[in-house]
Amino acid sequence: MKNRIFFWGVAVASVLLHGCTDDGKPDPEGGQGNLPAAVEEVISVIERTVPEAGHFVELLKQADLSDVTSEEITVFAVKNTPEAKSDVAPDPGWIRRHIVEGNHVGLSDGQRLVSLSGEVLLVSVSGDGAVSVNGVHVVGSAIPAGKSCIYIVEDIIPEPEISDENAMETWRSVFEDFCLRTRTLNQKLAYGYDGFSYTDVKTVSDEYWSMAYGTIDTGLSLVSALSDGEPADSYGNAVVQEIRLGMALVYSDIIGFYGQFVYMGNGEPHSDVNALLAELDMMEAYAAEDYGGAVRAVSARVYLNALQGYEQAFDKCVAIINSGKYALTEDNVFATAQNPGVIWSGFEDTDAGLAKGTYYHPVRYEEVLLMAAEAANELGRTVEAMQFVNRISVWKGMPPMATPVSTKEEIAECIRTLFSQDLKSESLEYSTWRRWGITDDMLQGKGEYGSHNALLPVPETALGQYPFLTQNEGYQ
C-alpha cells in the first residue's frame, strides 16, 4: 500500500522546534516578515526577471521561513496558476515544499531532495531532457540568485507517494545520518575532534538539537503513515518497530547530552521520561526477535542516564544476557554486519575519522555486560558485578580484574577501564562520564571546558516553545 506522507530530513529544521539563527535567536534583521537574506535575494531576482511568478512571490513574502539559516537555497517558483492565486494566505502548507536548503544547480534523473516541509522531491529527466519534480514540469534552466538558485515550475508540486519499502529506506538513511552526527558530536565533546572547543558549544548544541528532532519528526510521520493514522495500533508491524526503536535511541541520546528532552509521542509534547519508558515496554511486548534485545538495551540506557534506575537497568540487561542470543566473540565485531557480539546490527561505517571497522553497531553486547556490572555494583550486588567484569577481562585474555574482596570503587574502576578500552568512540563517552560523575576529571583543562559543560545548553528556541524545559546550569 502506498501512503502520502511528510518526510522530515535530518538536515531540515522543524519550525516548531528550531527556527533560529546561529546564535539560537530569531533573526531580527530580516526584511518582509523577517525573511532570511537568502529568501530576500530570491524574491528580488524573481520580481526582476520572472513576473509570471508574482503570486508565488506574494506567498513567499508572507511565509514563516525564520528557520532557514543556510546561505544557499533552491526555490521552485510556481508560475501564476488558479491554484496559486486562490491560496494567497500566510504560509500555505505547500510553500515550504518548494524550498530546499543548498544550491542544486543541474538537476539529475533520480535525484532526491528534501524540502523545508520535510517532503521528498523526486527529480525525473526524460529521454528528451525534460525535467520534472514530483511529476511537475520544470521550465528552463536554473536562474542564479546570489548563492542560491531558482527553478520555474508549471504548477504546485504535489505531495509525494511512497511505498512501505521506501519508507524503510528513507528511515534507515535518516537514522544512519543521525548516528554519524551523534558520534561526531561525542568525539568533539570528549576528545576535541575536528578542532572543537567548548567556546563553540552553543552552536553545536543548537545544530544537534535541530537535527535530532528532525529525525524524530521523520519517524513520527512515517509511523503515522504506515499505521493509517492510528500509530497506537502499529506495534506489531516490523517496519514500524524499527522506526520506533530508532526514535527511542534518539530520545535516549538527547537525554544523555542535555539531561532532559521533549517527548513527541501521542498527545501534547512533554518531558516525562516515564512515558518513553512505557513506550519501550510496549515495544518490548510486541518486539520481533531481532529487536527485543535492542529495546531492552535502550531501556537500560534511559534508566541509567535519566533516573539512576539501577534495579530496572539491571533487570533489562540480565534479560538480554540470559536470553542466550549474544556472546563475546573472538571475531572482529566490526568486520561483519551481524555477529554474536552485536545486539543491534549496524550499517557500513564510511567515516574514516570515526570508523573502528567496516561496520558501526548502535548497541553491542559488551556494553550490556558493563551496564549490568555498573547497576549491580551500585545496588551492592558485588558478586554479580564482579562476574560481569571478569567475563569480559577473561575473554580479553587478561586475568580476572575483580576479586571477592574488591570494593565498590575498585569494581567501578574496572568498569571504567574496560569501557575506555573497548567502547571508546562509539558515541557513549560524554553521557556516560556525566553519569559516573567523572566528566571534570576527564575534560578539565581541555578545549576551554568548564564544569557546567557536562551538559549541553538547551537551545533558546526550544526553551521558548516548551516552558517545561529549563536551561542547564551555567548557561543562563
Side-chain angles (χ1 to χ4, degrees), residues 97-117:
R97 192 184 309 139
H98 285 246
I99 305 172
V100 179
E101 290 193 343
N103 185 326
H104 298 280
V105 171
L107 301 175
S108 58
D109 189 44
Q111 186 175 5
R112 186 172 69 173
L113 307 174
V114 181
S115 68
L116 291 186
S117 69

Side-chain angles (χ1 to χ4, degrees), residues 2 10 84 175 193 231 248 260 281 310 367 392 395 404 453:
K2 291 188 175 181
V10 296
F175 181 69
Y193 179 73
Q260 54 189 307
D281 285 342
Y310 299 115
E367 181 198 352
I392 298 173
W395 163 70
N453 296 134

Side-chain angles (χ1 to χ4, degrees), residues 44-162:
S44 176
V45 171
I46 295 176
E47 287 180 329
R48 292 197 314 267
T49 63
V50 194
E52 64 268 30
H55 294 295
F56 178 82
V57 167
E58 292 306 310
L59 294 172
L60 205 55
K61 290 178 180 179
Q62 299 174 64
D64 180 3
L65 301 172
S66 59
D67 56 325
V68 177
T69 58
S70 175
E71 295 181 355
E72 301 180 0
I73 59 175
T74 298
V75 175
F76 294 92
V78 186
K79 293 175 66 175
N80 295 340
T81 65
E83 291 81 0
K85 293 177 183 178
S86 66
D87 205 0
V88 179
D91 202 8
W94 59 265
I95 197 76
R96 294 171 64 83
R97 192 184 309 139
H98 285 246
I99 305 172
V100 179
E101 290 193 343
N103 185 326
H104 298 280
V105 171
L107 301 175
S108 58
D109 189 44
Q111 186 175 5
R112 186 172 69 173
L113 307 174
V114 181
S115 68
L116 291 186
S117 69
E119 296 162 287
V120 171
L121 306 182
L122 298 174
V123 179
S124 299
V125 180
S126 66
D128 60 2
V131 179
S132 62
V133 177
N134 287 5
V136 174
H137 180 59
V138 177
V139 181
S141 302
I143 302 169
K147 295 181 180 180
S148 303
C149 70
I150 304 160
Y151 290 96
I152 304 302
V153 292
E154 292 185 338
D155 207 340
I156 295 172
I157 297 173
E159 299 174 19
E161 292 190 346
I162 186 170

Side-chain angles (χ1 to χ4, degrees), residues 175-426:
F175 181 69
E176 287 178 19
D177 186 73
F178 166 81
C179 288
L180 174 60
R181 296 175 71 174
T182 298
R183 293 161 65 201
T184 301
L185 177 60
N186 175 78
Q187 291 300 101
K188 288 182 176 182
L189 298 171
Y191 304 109
Y193 179 73
D194 200 24
F196 171 77
S197 166
Y198 275 89
T199 57
D200 301 324
V201 71
K202 190 176 186 304
T203 298
V204 299
S205 176
D206 287 355
E207 291 173 352
Y208 183 81
W209 182 280
S210 176
M211 179 277 300
Y213 276 101
T215 307
I216 292 294
D217 290 335
T218 302
L220 291 173
S221 296
L222 289 168
V223 168
S224 177
L226 296 175
S227 309
D228 292 326
E230 300 293 335
D233 299 329
S234 64
Y235 287 92
N237 181 299
V239 175
V240 173
Q241 282 183 21
E242 181 167 332
I243 296 171
R244 287 187 185 277
L245 175 58
M247 287 195 293
L249 182 65
V250 176
Y251 284 131
S252 174
D253 286 339
I254 293 170
I255 292 169
F257 285 120
Y258 297 90
Q260 54 189 307
F261 78 131
V262 179
Y263 182 65
M264 308 293 288
N266 297 329
E268 292 295 317
H270 58 82
S271 61
D272 184 5
V273 72
N274 290 305
L276 172 59
L277 291 166
E279 166 87 354
L280 283 160
D281 285 342
M282 182 70 76
M283 291 166 57
E284 185 177 337
Y286 283 91
E289 184 175 351
D290 292 344
Y291 300 118
V295 172
R296 294 185 182 98
V298 173
S299 293
R301 282 190 192 177
V302 174
Y303 274 117
L304 292 176
N305 284 330
L307 300 174
Q308 293 186 321
Y310 299 115
E311 189 72 51
Q312 298 93 333
F314 180 82
D315 289 343
K316 297 293 183 183
C317 291
V318 168
I320 296 170
I321 294 165
N322 290 343
S323 70
K325 297 176 182 177
Y326 313 101
L328 298 171
T329 174
E330 295 182 1
D331 297 330
N332 181 352
V333 74
F334 303 106
T336 57
Q338 295 182 327
N339 59 71
V342 173
I343 291 177
W344 188 343
S345 298
F347 37 83
E348 289 189 18
D349 204 340
T350 57
D351 191 302
L354 300 176
K356 297 176 73 172
T358 306
Y359 291 90
Y360 169 75
H361 306 295
V363 182
R364 296 200 293 117
Y365 183 56
E366 189 172 356
E367 181 198 352
V368 170
L369 288 172
L370 289 176
M371 286 195 295
E374 175 186 350
N377 196 39
E378 293 294 335
L379 293 168
R381 302 168 73 161
T382 307
V383 172
E384 289 162 296
M386 176 189 69
Q387 290 173 343
F388 293 131
V389 165
N390 288 340
R391 187 180 300 191
I392 298 173
S393 64
V394 171
W395 163 70
K396 289 165 64 72
M398 302 162 53
M401 296 179 69
T403 70
V405 297
S406 294
T407 65
K408 177 181 178 181
E409 180 52 39
E410 288 170 340
I411 292 176
E413 183 59 33
C414 292
I415 294 170
R416 290 194 287 266
T417 298
L418 291 171
F419 177 89
S420 65
Q421 290 176 350
D422 297 344
L423 294 178
K424 181 178 180 179
S425 303
E426 296 184 45

